[in-house]
Amino acid sequence: MQAGDDTIAAIATPPGRGGIGIVRVSGPNAEFIAKSLLGAVPVPRAAAYRDFHDAGGQVIDTGIALYFPSPRTFTGENILELQGHGGPVVMDLLLARVLELGARQAQPGEFSQRAFLNGKMDLAQAEAVADLIDSATATAARGAQRSLAGDFSRKVRALSRQIAELRAYVEAAIDFPEEEIDFLADKTLLGRLDALAEELKQTLASTRQGVLLQEGLRVVIAGQPNVGKSSLLNALAGSDTAIVTHLPGTTRDLLREQIHLDGLPLHIIDTAGLRHTEDLVEQHGIHRARGAIAEADVLLLVVEAGTGITETDRALLAELEPARRCIVVRNKIDLAGEAATIYTGEFGPEVALSAKLGPGIELLRECLKKQTGYEQGGEGAFTARRRHLDALRRAEQHVAVAHQCLQGSRAGELMAEDLRSAQHALGEITGEFSNEELLDLVFSEFCIGK
Ligand SMILES: Nc1nc2c(ncn2[C@@H]2O[C@H](COP(=O)(O)OP(=O)(O)OP(=O)(O)O)[C@@H](O)[C@H]2O)c(=O)[nH]1
Ligand SMILES: [Mg+2]
């Protein structure tokens, strides 16, 4: 795949008013556009204070122009950056002029895509650019910065190199069949496969953490009406997001709040109380609640301490996949005269607390941390994506099969084939092996101008 040979342009700053707005141009025409718009091409990599002219020679704006000639640029192409005043009309006029001079409006993520296609960064690094922009916590931002710097890619490449060496070894054994027995019976080969499997396992574990850090966790609060679900959302968020009343059926729609636990982003969703109802609006709410429950990473099932888990709650728990994490919250301990505590109940951890008064909320936070399996943003934590996790899992499986081939039948050919597949899976992470579909998927999530 090759980067386009046309010139792209976009407003790189967010829409709306701001002190400064930036129009970014990349491609072979950037130089011509600079000359037409500014009168002369600025000295490379030096700030130039210039008038930005329209077709009739009128000044659209005055600002800073920066020119970066290929190849030492973000995209690898000629880049022109025009920093003007950040008003939507000024920016639109400036962009319109640039398009008039032969550039085309860039697609979301197209600058980063060109950077990837021109070998300026690999695919995981390009994804980290978007992750850095989207990061919800400071820990996630630091993790994305590490991935952008190549920490994650280096791990993946090192694994890929290890597999390549093993492949060479095994393929040599196949090519010289008279020595095959010796080659494949060699204990060091088995040892190296074991070491590889172990490293894959560790990388998978840190990648899982990386995905958690980037995406955060969907925590859904559910239960019967009036048990204090919305009060719990408010207590966790430390704000009055949700309406709380003594009337059952207060919450109808899904309510979302974002908080973080030691740098791990949590998307908390409050839902309508589950009950049989004739009220049409509430029915819709309950339908949405069920949808949210089905997609939850962690379910907080709220019950009243005085009542405990009811038959309706049991029915809900029975519907959940066994692997789904669930914490039972026994709310309103102040009414039941209980103390805040945490213990292991029938369905997993149970936390007794009072959402209204506060005792036990800290215990719930601790429990959430444990349940998520998130290790507090250790030094060197990097962000990753589900796509990466997927590829690593496939690589792990292929290596496991290769291991079996070696131990069981000493089937050199099969082993070589699985090692090849494992290496291919790793190559998908860095984009060494990619296709248009994958690239479209990755870059379409970017913002315009990045
Ligand atoms: N005493 C006491 N009352 C509570 C506690 N938590 C919630 N409540 C009260 O219980 C009532 C219902 O609280 P909500 O938070 O609206 O309950 P909900 O589960 O969101 O209710 P629906 O949205 O109708 O399903 C309100 O009057 C709250 O003040 C608590 O810990 N102690
Ligand atoms: Mg509610």
Side-chain angles (χ1 to χ4, degrees), residues 4 92 115 121 131 133 142 146 149 151 167 196 269 297 376:
D92 282 349
M121 51 172 79
D131 292 348
I133 292 171
R142 274 195 291 276
R146 287 197 193 95
D151 285 21
R167 271 182 71 188
L196 173 67
I269 302 168
D297 294 313
Q376 186 171 344

Side-chain angles (χ1 to χ4, degrees), residues 230 243 250-251 270-271:
S230 301
I243 299 174
T250 302
T251 308
D270 178 27
T271 62

Side-chain angles (χ1 to χ4, degrees), residues 387-409:
R387 177 183 90 72
H388 304 152
L389 209 52
D390 219 56
L392 278 165
R393 280 204 198 102
R394 270 184 284 132
E396 191 181 42
Q397 277 161 11
H398 286 298
V399 169
V401 174
H403 196 278
Q404 282 164 12
C405 289
L406 181 62
Q407 267 201 319
S409 47

Side-chain angles (χ1 to χ4, degrees), residues 151-200:
D151 285 21
F152 178 46
S153 303
R154 268 191 290 280
K155 273 185 215 290
V156 174
R157 287 226 174 78
L159 283 167
S160 182
R161 250 195 322 275
Q162 259 173 281
I163 298 178
E165 285 167 12
L166 283 174
R167 271 182 71 188
Y169 195 81
V170 173
E171 275 159 18
I174 301 167
D175 290 342
F176 301 100
E178 59 283 1
E179 295 166 51
E180 183 171 357
I181 305 296
D182 294 333
F183 258 126
L184 296 181
D186 190 342
K187 276 273 177 284
T188 57
L189 183 55
L190 203 59
R192 283 167 72 180
L193 258 183
D194 283 337
L196 173 67
E198 180 56 35
E199 255 168 74
L200 262 170

Side-chain angles (χ1 to χ4, degrees), residues 4 47 77 79 90 126 165 192 207 224 233 237 265 270 316 322 402 411 417 419 438:
E77 306 171 332
I79 288 188
V90 185
E165 285 167 12
R192 283 167 72 180
T207 304
Q224 287 170 65
L233 174 78
D270 178 27
L316 175 67
E417 183 54 28
L419 287 177
L438 172 64

